[in-house]
Amino acid sequence: MPTLNSVPVRVGSRVLSTGSYRPDQIVTNDDVAGLIDSSDEWIRERSGIVERRRCAPGESVTDMAVAAGAKAIAKSGIAPELISMVLVATVTHPYQTPAAAPEVAFRLGAINAAGADLGAACAGFCYSLGLADSMIRSGAAEYVLVIGVEKFTDFVSPTDRGTAFIFGDGAGAALVGPSDHTGVGPTLWGADGEQKDLITMSQSWSEYRLEPRDEFPYVQMSGQQVFRWAVSEVPKIAMRTLEASGVTVNDLTAFIPHQANMRITDAVVRALKLPEHVVVGRDIETTGNTSAASIPLALDRLRQADQLPSGGLALLIGFGAGLVYASQVIELP
Ligand code: COA
């Protein structure tokens, strides 16, 4: 029997660079409060959000992904032709087909790249980073561009009290490449489909086609239940991730969780007993919850503010609709 060629196996991968894109338009709490009988005070207190960004008319998921991806590529110094795979984590690309990634790869000049979208909601960036690491270590890819991008403006109802003030638009990217040591620790990931209805669309496309109930299908959330799940499960997942990577909270430079709600971040920081020196991602205050984009946006902002020394370790953890989660410790670029 003939044997098949195998591709070389690499020791590790690491994040080489990051990039981000925030739309220009700032939407304040007062701008959203009127339609949901809320107030700036309530929104700040219950979510930690002060403002979020919104796309300009005509600005798309792919436009934002290209803007963030271009910055990550430029900072890495890697030629776009060397990228083997573009993974776009998103749940708000408004086309059933084609996926966003092939267009994004083309517009970035990544002409030799495969491209696919990944739908794991607010865990999408960490899911994609886990896949990128596996692909690079197995030899299936050399450089992988991971982008988290969302345009929730298209899928949030401005009159839905439970979500209208939470979500925002934006994109963040990371270029991942080969490394002679482990720069992306083991990814801990999972899914609990029994809880699929906690964050879901108001109607499926097929229901909407047969009998439109709403102006357009939009995201709905059982906020309290999601909150309770996150506060109880995220610290456990984080501890298991640290253990799998062979480090403790004392070894961390940064903790960058999905930006779901400032109170969830505060509760997890308390439960993990994070030492004072650990920088915590709190980008939600000015960005809102941008689902798959929230972790790379927070990461890039802290890097731009020079708060994250290169070579330090950051614990990332994404969690959300599905329910799904994914987490890993990375070496900072
Ligand atoms: N503005 C003003 N009041 C509101 C409101 C709003 N937008 N939404 C709810 N309320 C009121 C309710 O009517 C209720 O009033 P009552 O006590 O008089 O009955 C009170 O506020 C509490 O409602 P509740 O639904 O329990 O709010 P909450 O404290 O759970 O906060 C969320 C709501 C959405 C901020 C919170 O549940 C949350 O952040 N959940 C997790 C969301 C999340 O992380 N999502 C992303 C996952 S990826």
Side-chain angles (χ1 to χ4, degrees), residues 35 49 82 127 156 175 186 257 279 304 318:
L35 286 174
I49 299 169
L82 296 178
Y127 259 78
V156 164
L175 190 70
V279 177
Q304 281 181 36

Side-chain angles (χ1 to χ4, degrees), residues 120 123 127 189-199 225 229-230 232-233 237 319-326:
Y127 259 78
W189 38 17
D192 178 6
E194 196 179 355
Q195 305 204 66
K196 71 179 175 62
D197 293 329
L198 290 189
I199 309 171
Q225 282 157 278
W229 173 81
S232 118
E233 295 307 311
I237 300 162
F319 52 90
L323 295 176
V324 291
Y325 62 84

Side-chain angles (χ1 to χ4, degrees), residues 196-214:
K196 71 179 175 62
D197 293 329
L198 290 189
I199 309 171
T200 186
M201 301 303 288
S202 59
Q203 282 192 292
S204 70
W205 291 121
S206 35
E207 287 165 344
Y208 180 72
R209 189 178 186 190
L210 288 173
E211 199 177 330
R213 195 175 57 221
D214 306 305

